Amino acid sequence: MKKIYLHPLPIRIWHWVNALSFLMLIFTGLQIRYRDMMRVMSFETSVDVHNIFGFVLIFNFFIWLLYYVISGKLKIYIPALSPRKFIEGCIRQAIYYGYGIFRGEPNPHHSTPDNKFNPMQQMAYLNIMAMFLPLQLLTGLMMWDIKGFSSWITLAGGIKIVDTVHVLIFLFFSSFLFVHIYLATLGHTATAHIKAMFTGFEEEDEHSH
Amino acid sequence: MFRFKGGQTVGKGTYWNLSNGEGIDMDGKRPLPGGGSVKYLRLPSGGMFVLGPFLGLLFVCLLPLMSLVIALTLLSRVALASDALSSEEAGKCLSCHSSEGMVKTFKNNENVSIHIAKKHFKDTVHGFLSCTDCHADVSLDSHPSAQYKSIRDFAASISRSCRNCHTDDQILAKPMHNQAVSRANAPPCSDCHGSHSIRKSSELKQNASNSQYCLSCHQKQFSVTINGEKVSLSVNEEVLRQSVHSNHDCTDCHSAFSKEAHPVEKFGSRRELSISISGACKGCHQDKHKQLEGSIHFSMLKEGNLKAPVCTDCHGFHNVGRKAILETVAGVPCKKCHENIFEDYKESVHGVAKMSGKNAAPVCSSCHFAHEVKPALISRSPGETCLGCHKKAVDIHSEWLPNAAIHLEAVACTACHVPNAGMRVYLNATDSASGLTASASKVKELLGAGHTALTGRDGIGDRQMWDIYQALTGKGAGMSIQTTLGLRDSGESHHLASKGKAVRQCDNCHNANSEFFKSVAMTVVDNNGREEFYAVKPQVLSSIFALLPLNQFYVMGGTRVKLLDFLGVFMVIAGASFPAAHIMIRILTRRLRSSSKHTGRH
């Protein structure tokens, strides 16, 4: 059994703060949006909690950005610059998830601190971290202070559009969460990746190489 | 001591009969000749001798002087004709009518004093006339009480005598007499000119002010009838004096009239007269009139609605009072027409405060303004009006209400401060340049043949809303749809409750089941700025087709787009089914892997 120090402490803290924030935001978001169907907490409380965790998430996003920019590790999110190489990598990974994994074939991607994500993960997380999450934070911010961001809202096409974007991204995150958690169980044991996110060390089955 | 009567027993002496000058010497106690009416003076002959020259002097000197005075007096009487009261006939009339307290009762039980005093004739121009010249139906021989029904009837009868001397031409030379001659129920002459002390109008003109001149007639009780309506032309001088216009002359407002001119004005109704006179106010109060021109009241007037209020309806005619009076509960003029609303107001937090003596509490004009009264726009939040007094409202709401400023912009204050009122979402067709609700005619013009969608039986649907949006926001149309939340019935906006009773539950609105979203209307205004509503199906609020038309309107938890709900369910199922399917396949292929592992190890 081999141990790789894959997740530095700041990233682990960031991840779990993110995880808690996402869960709280999804829950309070549902409570705000489906007030007529669920009444776990009052509207005021759900809005307040949603706002608090929204700001936690914004703060956390900048922690992430700061860490990756300063450490120079941002490149782990950047897919291979050669489209051919990138597409090949994606196909290889897709074949693994859709076929190889069932045959017990090894994961074609081997995570290292400098190359943490497989090409599909790179594509997904780059979209999430560079587009969906900032957009979600921004639309959330706009709705938090409609008057203050009124010119931005007008530019975006109105509060209804802003809300629709916010909801669409929320739906994407909610459904992605299932995939994310499931994929986290696909380590050499079901809890290997999850443990690693606490300890920082990813255990690898040496036989897989 | 010296005076005696006939028949009286007197002592010795010389007695002079004052009737015929005859002297009688009496010697002893004997009665004087003649009856009691004969008067005697006792004077000794010597005394007579002394008095004689004096009496002669009087006769010679004073008699001519007295004659001269009498002649001159008579001459002046002749010059002014004869003095009625000195005439034989008048003397006879006055022998009774000079008695104070004489009263005549007419058939309708009206009493009139028939006491005639000399002072009544002091300044009369009719001094040369005799009583029966005017009271033609009375003569010395025939003096039965004329059987008049009333004072009015009596005065009218006497007035006919005036026409014996004053010809129609003479009367009509004064325009103000026009109606007096032509109308059957014209006031009798005496209404203006008086009965016995009739003065020359020229005297009045010279000495009186304009107002005094007018009041010389108009302070008397008389009226005209316009189209069957009685209109009093009487003016109470006391009322005038107490008005804020006490320094004005009548002619300042009634500018067509003067001492010289009294034109005949024709009005179709009493109301038309009021409206016409209100036009005079503009002369001084131009600023107020300017404000009025933009008001709903003025628009109604322009439409020919005679019920529309004019200056005098609120301020009165001659009793124009101070502004402060109009701002009291008792003095608010609006209640004359808007009585129900005023009753609601009295029960509101504002009305209760006002009636409890808080003078600063608002009345109608505080919110609606006195002159620039706009049509009530229930679709628009009265926020600006409320914030005029409640300047800290945004700050106070911000203490607990997120996005307080936006709430106060989009939600009518009344929506929360009038508990239990019916709510509605208003989609206002708005002119982008002015920010005001667009006119019905402009909207219909832009919609062309599609304008029938506005008045469809079931209300405007989501696709129709999309078409309307396309038409209103198309190139050159310059419109947008602004959404507001307010009360369904404008009348209810006067039921403002105290702060403690205001709605403070977010759930009231932020809930798809909220009453708010069950009534939706599109709003335009007619040419006078009054709202017209077109029913909109409530489903429009949550339709994907309304994403752009209602892009400025979103109530969290209230108006979510239904399609996103379905999409959300689909995405979550899709997200969950990927792991589920993957796990399923992994279970199914378990043997494959175990054999592969086995192979790998060997």
Side-chain angles (χ1 to χ4, degrees), chain B residues 186-228:
Chain B
C189 306
S190 55
D191 269 14
C192 297
H193 294 281
S195 46
H196 294 110
S197 53
I198 297 166
R199 296 175 66 186
K200 279 187 177 176
S201 60
S202 57
E203 281 179 34
L204 212 56
K205 280 190 186 184
Q206 282 162 11
N207 302 328
S209 70
N210 274 337
S211 292
Q212 283 172 331
Y213 178 72
C214 301
L215 284 170
S216 64
C217 291
H218 284 279
Q219 68 181 343
K220 292 173 177 136
Q221 290 296 324
F222 70 109
S223 60
V224 289
T225 304
I226 302 175
N227 202 13

Short mmCIF file of all heavy atoms in Angstrom, two decimals, chain B residues 186-228:
data_model
loop_
_atom_site.label_atom_id
_atom_site.label_comp_id
_atom_site.label_asym_id
_atom_site.label_seq_id
_atom_site.Cartn_x
_atom_site.Cartn_y
_atom_site.Cartn_z
N ALA B 186 -90.19 87.34 -11.89
CA ALA B 186 -89.15 88.33 -11.60
C ALA B 186 -89.37 88.91 -10.21
O ALA B 186 -90.50 88.98 -9.72
CB ALA B 186 -89.21 89.44 -12.63
N PRO B 187 -88.29 89.29 -9.54
CA PRO B 187 -88.48 89.89 -8.22
C PRO B 187 -89.20 91.23 -8.35
O PRO B 187 -89.03 91.94 -9.34
CB PRO B 187 -87.04 90.08 -7.71
CG PRO B 187 -86.21 90.09 -8.94
CD PRO B 187 -86.90 89.23 -9.94
N PRO B 188 -89.99 91.57 -7.36
CA PRO B 188 -90.68 92.86 -7.43
C PRO B 188 -89.67 94.01 -7.32
O PRO B 188 -88.58 93.82 -6.77
CB PRO B 188 -91.61 92.83 -6.23
CG PRO B 188 -91.03 91.81 -5.32
CD PRO B 188 -90.33 90.81 -6.16
N CYS B 189 -90.04 95.16 -7.85
CA CYS B 189 -89.15 96.33 -7.86
C CYS B 189 -88.61 96.62 -6.46
O CYS B 189 -87.45 96.97 -6.27
CB CYS B 189 -89.88 97.55 -8.37
SG CYS B 189 -90.65 97.29 -9.97
N SER B 190 -89.51 96.44 -5.47
CA SER B 190 -89.16 96.81 -4.12
C SER B 190 -88.02 95.98 -3.56
O SER B 190 -87.35 96.39 -2.63
CB SER B 190 -90.38 96.68 -3.21
OG SER B 190 -90.90 95.37 -3.31
N ASP B 191 -87.78 94.79 -4.16
CA ASP B 191 -86.68 93.96 -3.68
C ASP B 191 -85.37 94.71 -3.74
O ASP B 191 -84.50 94.57 -2.88
CB ASP B 191 -86.57 92.68 -4.52
CG ASP B 191 -87.40 91.56 -3.90
OD1 ASP B 191 -88.21 91.87 -3.02
OD2 ASP B 191 -87.21 90.40 -4.31
N CYS B 192 -85.20 95.49 -4.79
CA CYS B 192 -83.94 96.22 -4.94
C CYS B 192 -84.09 97.68 -4.54
O CYS B 192 -83.20 98.27 -3.94
CB CYS B 192 -83.44 96.14 -6.37
SG CYS B 192 -83.06 94.48 -6.89
N HIS B 193 -85.19 98.25 -4.91
CA HIS B 193 -85.30 99.70 -4.74
C HIS B 193 -85.92 100.12 -3.42
O HIS B 193 -86.00 101.31 -3.12
CB HIS B 193 -86.13 100.28 -5.90
CG HIS B 193 -85.44 100.13 -7.22
ND1 HIS B 193 -84.43 100.97 -7.63
CD2 HIS B 193 -85.60 99.22 -8.21
CE1 HIS B 193 -84.00 100.58 -8.84
NE2 HIS B 193 -84.69 99.51 -9.21
N GLY B 194 -86.37 99.16 -2.67
CA GLY B 194 -87.02 99.51 -1.41
C GLY B 194 -88.48 99.86 -1.64
O GLY B 194 -88.93 99.99 -2.78
N SER B 195 -89.22 100.01 -0.55
CA SER B 195 -90.65 100.27 -0.71
C SER B 195 -90.97 101.76 -0.58
O SER B 195 -91.37 102.40 -1.55
CB SER B 195 -91.44 99.43 0.28
OG SER B 195 -90.86 99.50 1.54
N HIS B 196 -90.74 102.33 0.57
CA HIS B 196 -91.13 103.74 0.74
C HIS B 196 -89.98 104.71 0.57
O HIS B 196 -90.13 105.75 -0.03
CB HIS B 196 -91.81 103.92 2.10
CG HIS B 196 -93.11 103.19 2.16
ND1 HIS B 196 -93.31 102.08 2.95
CD2 HIS B 196 -94.29 103.38 1.49
CE1 HIS B 196 -94.54 101.61 2.76
NE2 HIS B 196 -95.16 102.39 1.88
N SER B 197 -88.78 104.30 1.06
CA SER B 197 -87.64 105.23 0.92
C SER B 197 -86.88 104.91 -0.36
O SER B 197 -85.80 104.35 -0.35
CB SER B 197 -86.74 105.14 2.14
OG SER B 197 -86.39 103.80 2.38
N ILE B 198 -87.49 105.18 -1.47
CA ILE B 198 -86.89 104.85 -2.77
C ILE B 198 -85.90 105.94 -3.17
O ILE B 198 -86.26 107.12 -3.26
CB ILE B 198 -88.00 104.71 -3.84
CG1 ILE B 198 -88.90 103.53 -3.45
CG2 ILE B 198 -87.39 104.49 -5.21
CD1 ILE B 198 -90.19 103.48 -4.21
N ARG B 199 -84.65 105.51 -3.36
CA ARG B 199 -83.60 106.50 -3.64
C ARG B 199 -83.19 106.45 -5.09
O ARG B 199 -83.37 105.43 -5.77
CB ARG B 199 -82.38 106.23 -2.77
CG ARG B 199 -82.68 106.39 -1.30
CD ARG B 199 -81.50 105.99 -0.47
NE ARG B 199 -80.37 106.88 -0.68
CZ ARG B 199 -79.17 106.67 -0.16
NH1 ARG B 199 -78.96 105.61 0.59
NH2 ARG B 199 -78.20 107.51 -0.38
N LYS B 200 -82.57 107.52 -5.53
CA LYS B 200 -82.05 107.54 -6.89
C LYS B 200 -80.83 106.62 -6.97
O LYS B 200 -79.96 106.69 -6.10
CB LYS B 200 -81.60 108.96 -7.26
CG LYS B 200 -82.73 109.86 -7.68
CD LYS B 200 -82.15 111.16 -8.19
CE LYS B 200 -83.26 112.05 -8.69
NZ LYS B 200 -82.76 113.36 -9.11
N SER B 201 -80.77 105.78 -7.99
CA SER B 201 -79.63 104.86 -8.09
C SER B 201 -78.34 105.64 -8.32
O SER B 201 -77.27 105.19 -7.96
CB SER B 201 -79.87 103.84 -9.19
OG SER B 201 -80.03 104.52 -10.41
N SER B 202 -78.45 106.81 -8.93
CA SER B 202 -77.23 107.58 -9.19
C SER B 202 -76.55 107.98 -7.89
O SER B 202 -75.32 108.00 -7.79
CB SER B 202 -77.56 108.83 -10.02
OG SER B 202 -78.51 109.58 -9.32
N GLU B 203 -77.34 108.27 -6.85
CA GLU B 203 -76.76 108.64 -5.56
C GLU B 203 -75.93 107.48 -5.03
O GLU B 203 -74.83 107.64 -4.53
CB GLU B 203 -77.87 108.94 -4.54
CG GLU B 203 -78.48 110.29 -4.68
CD GLU B 203 -79.59 110.48 -3.65
OE1 GLU B 203 -79.45 109.93 -2.54
OE2 GLU B 203 -80.59 111.13 -3.98
N LEU B 204 -76.51 106.29 -5.20
CA LEU B 204 -75.84 105.09 -4.73
C LEU B 204 -74.53 104.89 -5.48
O LEU B 204 -73.49 104.56 -4.91
CB LEU B 204 -76.77 103.91 -4.99
CG LEU B 204 -76.73 102.74 -4.04
CD1 LEU B 204 -76.97 103.20 -2.62
CD2 LEU B 204 -77.77 101.73 -4.47
N LYS B 205 -74.58 105.11 -6.77
CA LYS B 205 -73.39 104.91 -7.61
C LYS B 205 -72.25 105.82 -7.20
O LYS B 205 -71.10 105.44 -7.17
CB LYS B 205 -73.74 105.16 -9.08
CG LYS B 205 -74.43 104.01 -9.74
CD LYS B 205 -74.51 104.25 -11.23
CE LYS B 205 -75.33 103.18 -11.90
NZ LYS B 205 -75.35 103.33 -13.34
N GLN B 206 -72.62 107.05 -6.92
CA GLN B 206 -71.57 108.03 -6.62
C GLN B 206 -70.91 107.76 -5.28
O GLN B 206 -69.70 107.86 -5.14
CB GLN B 206 -72.17 109.45 -6.60
CG GLN B 206 -72.41 109.99 -7.98
CD GLN B 206 -73.37 111.17 -7.97
OE1 GLN B 206 -73.70 111.70 -6.91
NE2 GLN B 206 -73.81 111.57 -9.15
N ASN B 207 -71.70 107.42 -4.33
CA ASN B 207 -71.18 107.38 -2.97
C ASN B 207 -70.72 106.00 -2.50
O ASN B 207 -69.90 105.90 -1.62
CB ASN B 207 -72.24 107.89 -2.00
CG ASN B 207 -72.65 109.30 -2.38
OD1 ASN B 207 -71.84 110.07 -2.88
ND2 ASN B 207 -73.92 109.63 -2.16
N ALA B 208 -71.28 104.96 -3.12
CA ALA B 208 -70.98 103.63 -2.59
C ALA B 208 -69.80 103.00 -3.29
O ALA B 208 -69.47 103.33 -4.43
CB ALA B 208 -72.20 102.73 -2.77
N SER B 209 -69.13 102.06 -2.60
CA SER B 209 -68.08 101.26 -3.24
C SER B 209 -68.76 100.28 -4.18
O SER B 209 -69.98 100.10 -4.13
CB SER B 209 -67.28 100.51 -2.19
OG SER B 209 -68.09 99.50 -1.63
N ASN B 210 -67.96 99.63 -5.00
CA ASN B 210 -68.52 98.63 -5.91
C ASN B 210 -69.36 97.61 -5.15
O ASN B 210 -70.48 97.30 -5.53
CB ASN B 210 -67.40 97.90 -6.65
CG ASN B 210 -66.98 98.65 -7.89
OD1 ASN B 210 -67.74 99.45 -8.43
ND2 ASN B 210 -65.75 98.43 -8.32
N SER B 211 -68.76 97.10 -4.07
CA SER B 211 -69.44 96.05 -3.33
C SER B 211 -70.72 96.56 -2.69
O SER B 211 -71.74 95.87 -2.69
CB SER B 211 -68.52 95.47 -2.26
OG SER B 211 -67.47 94.79 -2.88
N GLN B 212 -70.64 97.77 -2.14
CA GLN B 212 -71.84 98.33 -1.51
C GLN B 212 -72.95 98.49 -2.54
O GLN B 212 -74.12 98.26 -2.27
CB GLN B 212 -71.52 99.68 -0.87
CG GLN B 212 -70.79 99.54 0.46
CD GLN B 212 -70.31 100.87 0.97
OE1 GLN B 212 -70.01 101.79 0.19
NE2 GLN B 212 -70.20 100.97 2.28
N TYR B 213 -72.51 98.91 -3.71
CA TYR B 213 -73.48 99.10 -4.79
C TYR B 213 -74.17 97.77 -5.11
O TYR B 213 -75.39 97.68 -5.21
CB TYR B 213 -72.78 99.65 -6.03
CG TYR B 213 -73.71 99.82 -7.21
CD1 TYR B 213 -74.65 100.84 -7.22
CD2 TYR B 213 -73.64 98.96 -8.30
CE1 TYR B 213 -75.51 100.99 -8.29
CE2 TYR B 213 -74.49 99.11 -9.37
CZ TYR B 213 -75.43 100.13 -9.37
OH TYR B 213 -76.28 100.28 -10.43
N CYS B 214 -73.34 96.71 -5.25
CA CYS B 214 -73.91 95.40 -5.57
C CYS B 214 -74.83 94.94 -4.44
O CYS B 214 -75.93 94.42 -4.67
CB CYS B 214 -72.81 94.36 -5.77
SG CYS B 214 -71.67 94.77 -7.09
N LEU B 215 -74.32 95.13 -3.22
CA LEU B 215 -75.06 94.62 -2.07
C LEU B 215 -76.37 95.37 -1.84
O LEU B 215 -77.26 94.85 -1.17
CB LEU B 215 -74.20 94.69 -0.81
CG LEU B 215 -73.12 93.61 -0.72
CD1 LEU B 215 -72.17 93.91 0.42
CD2 LEU B 215 -73.75 92.23 -0.54
N SER B 216 -76.44 96.57 -2.39
CA SER B 216 -77.68 97.31 -2.19
C SER B 216 -78.87 96.50 -2.69
O SER B 216 -79.97 96.61 -2.18
CB SER B 216 -77.60 98.67 -2.88
OG SER B 216 -77.50 98.50 -4.27
N CYS B 217 -78.62 95.67 -3.70
CA CYS B 217 -79.69 94.76 -4.12
C CYS B 217 -79.45 93.35 -3.58
O CYS B 217 -80.36 92.71 -3.06
CB CYS B 217 -79.75 94.67 -5.64
SG CYS B 217 -80.33 96.17 -6.42
N HIS B 218 -78.21 92.89 -3.71
CA HIS B 218 -77.96 91.46 -3.50
C HIS B 218 -77.96 91.03 -2.05
O HIS B 218 -77.86 89.85 -1.77
CB HIS B 218 -76.66 91.04 -4.19
CG HIS B 218 -76.81 90.92 -5.67
ND1 HIS B 218 -77.34 89.80 -6.26
CD2 HIS B 218 -76.55 91.80 -6.68
CE1 HIS B 218 -77.38 89.99 -7.58
NE2 HIS B 218 -76.91 91.19 -7.85
N GLN B 219 -78.01 91.97 -1.14
CA GLN B 219 -78.13 91.51 0.24
C GLN B 219 -79.59 91.23 0.57
O GLN B 219 -79.90 90.72 1.64
CB GLN B 219 -77.52 92.51 1.21
CG GLN B 219 -78.27 93.82 1.30
CD GLN B 219 -77.58 94.76 2.26
OE1 GLN B 219 -76.76 94.34 3.06
NE2 GLN B 219 -77.89 96.04 2.16
N LYS B 220 -80.44 91.56 -0.38
CA LYS B 220 -81.85 91.23 -0.17
C LYS B 220 -82.11 89.81 -0.62
O LYS B 220 -81.34 89.24 -1.38
CB LYS B 220 -82.71 92.21 -0.96
CG LYS B 220 -82.61 93.60 -0.37
CD LYS B 220 -83.30 94.61 -1.18
CE LYS B 220 -83.21 95.95 -0.47
NZ LYS B 220 -82.89 97.03 -1.36
N GLN B 221 -83.18 89.26 -0.15
CA GLN B 221 -83.51 87.88 -0.49
C GLN B 221 -84.15 87.84 -1.87
O GLN B 221 -85.27 88.30 -2.04
CB GLN B 221 -84.49 87.31 0.54
CG GLN B 221 -83.88 87.07 1.90
CD GLN B 221 -82.79 86.02 1.87
OE1 GLN B 221 -82.87 85.05 1.13
NE2 GLN B 221 -81.74 86.23 2.65
N PHE B 222 -83.43 87.37 -2.83
CA PHE B 222 -84.07 87.11 -4.12
C PHE B 222 -83.28 86.05 -4.86
O PHE B 222 -82.15 85.74 -4.53
CB PHE B 222 -84.25 88.39 -4.94
CG PHE B 222 -82.99 88.99 -5.49
CD1 PHE B 222 -82.72 88.93 -6.85
CD2 PHE B 222 -82.08 89.64 -4.67
CE1 PHE B 222 -81.57 89.50 -7.37
CE2 PHE B 222 -80.93 90.20 -5.18
CZ PHE B 222 -80.68 90.14 -6.53
N SER B 223 -83.94 85.49 -5.82
CA SER B 223 -83.32 84.36 -6.52
C SER B 223 -83.79 84.34 -7.96
O SER B 223 -84.73 85.04 -8.33
CB SER B 223 -83.70 83.07 -5.81
OG SER B 223 -85.10 82.93 -5.84
N VAL B 224 -83.08 83.54 -8.73
CA VAL B 224 -83.55 83.31 -10.10
C VAL B 224 -83.77 81.80 -10.22
O VAL B 224 -83.29 81.03 -9.40
CB VAL B 224 -82.52 83.75 -11.17
CG1 VAL B 224 -82.43 85.26 -11.22
CG2 VAL B 224 -81.17 83.11 -10.93
N THR B 225 -84.46 81.43 -11.23
CA THR B 225 -84.67 80.01 -11.48
C THR B 225 -84.02 79.66 -12.80
O THR B 225 -84.31 80.28 -13.82
CB THR B 225 -86.17 79.68 -11.51
OG1 THR B 225 -86.73 80.12 -10.28
CG2 THR B 225 -86.39 78.18 -11.66
N ILE B 226 -83.08 78.74 -12.73
CA ILE B 226 -82.40 78.30 -13.96
C ILE B 226 -82.81 76.87 -14.22
O ILE B 226 -82.51 75.98 -13.41
CB ILE B 226 -80.87 78.40 -13.82
CG1 ILE B 226 -80.45 79.83 -13.50
CG2 ILE B 226 -80.20 77.93 -15.12
CD1 ILE B 226 -78.97 79.99 -13.24
N ASN B 227 -83.49 76.69 -15.30
CA ASN B 227 -83.91 75.35 -15.71
C ASN B 227 -84.59 74.60 -14.56
O ASN B 227 -84.27 73.46 -14.27
CB ASN B 227 -82.66 74.58 -16.20
CG ASN B 227 -83.05 73.43 -17.11
OD1 ASN B 227 -84.20 73.36 -17.56
ND2 ASN B 227 -82.11 72.55 -17.37
N GLY B 228 -85.46 75.30 -13.89
CA GLY B 228 -86.21 74.68 -12.82
C GLY B 228 -85.52 74.67 -11.47
O GLY B 228 -86.11 74.31 -10.46
#
